[in-house]
Amino acid sequence: MLELLTYDFMQRSLLAAAMVGGLCSVVGVFVVLRGLAFVGAGTSHAAFAGVALGYLMGWPPLLLAILFGLATVWITGWVEERGRMKLDVSIGILYTTTMALAILFIGLMKTYNAEVYGYLFGSVLSVSSDELRVIGGLAILVLGLILIFSKELYFIAFDQEMADASGIPARAIFFLLLTLVALTVVVSLKTVGAILVFAMILIPASTAYQLTHSLMTLTLYSVIIGTTTSVAGVMISAFWDVPSGPAIVLLATTVFFLSILLSPKKLKRAASAHAH
């Protein structure tokens, strides 16, 4: 019986890690190309504030995480669109504000709640069946939207002004991208935690960027790297009894530095310089 429970527990953990790793990697391609790295950091802390409020009030934490995350990215996009403030400035303000709210909500709790900190630092080994269904549902939604609007998302990631001039509803697609980032962050909270989730959005795509010039190959490599490091990180976490979030991110970071050393782009430039 114990072996069966352990098997189910590891199966849920590995499945959650694979879904989150793949999803973060796909969304990360657009984040890296568009230069939205800081948005992921700000959104993760906003989502964690929603989780903390949920546990404080006895409301569904993931639902509030979605609401807080979406509110943050939409306000950020609206402020940038109006030209009143640069994107990194507005997200920086919301980043610190929502983190202050999270600390306030935790401080108002009458008892210590370990589950809240699971969302902060990551606890994929404790993912329940219900949480796995939520992760799967949100992952299918995000990936479905990416498949439907992939052409437009790639276009605005490279040049939003050109996309707008070409007749693409660039404003709406940009807000869609921000929404996808927010949902991806929420999906990933339980796996890698609010502190490290934006690393899993950035690192696989940045690693893949070192290895290819092709856009489709970039996306494919990113998914392979993200999924593999997430699953391997969970196995390391289970066998060596270390936190899952740091294990996943440190493994992905190691792969990133290896990609820099072995980058075909770098080797090609070196060969070209040597030839001259």
Side-chain angles (χ1 to χ4, degrees), residues 44-215:
S44 64
H45 287 79
F48 178 67
V51 168
L53 179 60
Y55 278 104
L56 174 64
M57 303 301 293
W59 298 337
L62 282 178
L63 177 60
L64 286 176
I66 292 172
L67 294 177
F68 270 65
L70 290 177
T72 298
V73 294
W74 288 344
I75 292 170
T76 300
W78 179 79
V79 170
E80 187 202 32
E81 188 183 63
R82 295 289 177 176
R84 296 173 184 173
M85 199 176 296
K86 288 185 177 180
L87 188 66
D88 58 344
V89 176
S90 58
I91 197 65
I93 293 171
L94 290 171
Y95 173 102
T96 51
T97 302
T98 53
M99 198 60 200
L101 283 173
I103 295 169
L104 174 63
F105 296 150
I106 292 173
L108 291 173
M109 293 178 188
K110 295 180 180 178
T111 57
Y112 173 81
N113 192 325
E115 290 186 28
V116 176
Y117 292 94
Y119 284 95
L120 182 61
F121 300 110
S123 182
V124 69
L125 298 179
S126 64
V127 169
S128 66
S129 297
D130 289 339
E131 288 170 332
L132 187 62
R133 280 191 284 270
V134 172
I135 291 172
L138 287 175
I140 291 170
L141 174 63
V142 172
L143 290 174
L145 289 170
I146 289 174
L147 285 173
I148 294 169
F149 297 103
S150 59
K151 189 182 297 182
E152 292 83 355
L153 286 167
Y154 279 123
F155 205 159
I156 69 156
F158 279 110
D159 193 332
Q160 186 166 329
E161 291 183 2
M162 180 64 74
D164 197 25
S166 301
I168 290 174
R171 175 176 175 271
I173 296 298
F174 177 63
F175 273 84
L176 172 62
L177 177 57
L178 292 177
T179 300
L180 296 177
V181 171
L183 291 176
T184 301
V185 165
V186 173
V187 167
S188 312
L189 282 181
K190 195 66 184 281
T191 307
V192 290
I195 292 178
L196 300 174
V197 62
F198 60 96
M200 280 310 296
I201 292 176
L202 288 178
I203 295 174
S206 300
T207 304
Y209 189 78
Q210 305 298 320
L211 304 176
T212 181
H213 293 281
S214 166
L215 199 56

